[in-house]
Amino acid sequence: MISRRTLIASMVAMSAASAAFASGGPSGPVVKFQAQGKIGEVIVNPYKIAPLTAIIRDGGNTLKDVSVRIVPKKGGQEISYKVSDRHVRTYAGIPVFG
C-alpha cells in the first residue's frame, strides 16, 4: 500500500517535471504564426469606393522611407509622392492613388 506521503511526493515530482518544458520544449516556447501575405501583393480598390486606388501589401515586413512613382502612358503626367511610415503601418502596405 502506498503511503500518503509517497503519493504527495510523486505528484509534486510529476508536476515539476512537466513545468520545466514551458510551452514549447527544452529550448523555450514555440512561436508560430502564419504569414500575413506575400510582399508585393496588390489589392485594387480595397474599400470598393475608389477604382483608381490600390494597396501594395507589406507581407508582414516593416517598410520604411517609402516613395511611389507612377510612370504614365505616352502624353500623360507622372505621379510621385513619399508615403509616411505612419501611413504604411496604417494600411499594412503602400497606398497608391491614381
Side-chain angles (χ1 to χ4, degrees), residues 49-79:
I49 56 173
L52 295 178
T53 61
I55 295 177
I56 302 172
R57 299 301 303 253
D58 62 7
N61 298 303
T62 303
L63 304 177
K64 295 195 181 263
D65 298 324
V66 176
S67 62
V68 175
R69 179 175 173 238
I70 300 172
V71 180
K73 294 180 182 177
K74 189 173 184 177
Q77 184 171 349
E78 180 178 303
I79 300 172

Side-chain angles (χ1 to χ4, degrees), residues 11 38 45 48 79:
M11 288 174 49
K38 295 184 178 176
N45 193 8
K48 308 294 185 229
I79 300 172

